[in-house]
Amino acid sequence: MAAAEGTAVGMTEHFDIAIVGAGTVGVTLACLLADEGFRVALVEAREPASDDAADPRVWALTPASERILRRVGAWGRIDGAAIGAFREMEVWDAGGIGRIRFDSAEIGVPALGSIIANRRVQAALAESLCERAAVERIRPARP
């Protein structure tokens, strides 16, 4: 595992950037910054949940998000059978006054994006992070 795990107690290493939080955004940012030559401390409050932990959350990812996940090497680690395309979306406000609808056919694309389970995105990002020696995961710790 290239990304080291450590503890903040007595830490004397130098980092260019510290990211607090190792969710989807934090890990993605750490990968991107490491690829640009920065030494990154990724600070997490707790150990990650086990792979079999129930997590009903899903991501609705746009093509732009897919490109970012491809750039950090995570997209190809997600099983294609676990990716579901969505072609339409309707959004409305709580009062029922405002409503907007999106349809991929109206803009000539096959899909607006993809639906993927959060745990699959997290697992793919964790694997991608392991390839980056410039990132040190510091957990459990608080800034």
Side-chain angles (χ1 to χ4, degrees):
M1 180 169 160
E5 295 185 30
T7 177
V9 177
M11 183 172 34
T12 58
E13 290 189 58
H14 169 78
F15 297 97
D16 299 307
I17 297 169
I19 299 171
V20 179
T24 301
V25 174
V27 173
T28 302
L29 180 59
C31 289
L32 291 168
L33 290 169
D35 291 351
E36 293 299 317
F38 292 98
R39 182 128 165 74
V40 181
L42 185 58
V43 182
E44 303 175 67
R46 64 186 79 70
E47 296 293 331
S50 66
D51 290 340
D52 56 353
D55 184 357
R57 297 174 297 169
V58 297
W59 285 96
L61 298 173
T62 66
S65 296
E66 178 184 337
R67 284 190 296 277
I68 292 169
L69 290 175
R70 282 186 189 283
R71 183 171 172 193
V72 300
W75 187 263
R77 298 173 193 275
I78 300 170
D79 178 8
I83 300 172
F86 65 93
R87 292 168 186 76
E88 299 176 21
M89 179 184 291
E90 190 167 354
V91 182
W92 60 92
D93 68 358
I97 299 169
R99 183 176 297 262
I100 188 166
R101 185 175 174 280
F102 303 95
D103 187 333
S104 64
E106 292 177 4
I107 58 173
V109 296
L112 295 173
S114 302
I115 303 288
I116 307 171
N118 178 64
R119 65 184 171 80
R120 294 195 186 258
V121 174
Q122 286 291 324
L125 283 167
E127 288 179 29
S128 294
L129 187 66
C130 287
E131 297 174 347
R132 289 161 171 91
V135 179
E136 182 173 338
R137 295 181 92 158
I138 303 169
R139 62 183 179 193
R142 297 196 182 273

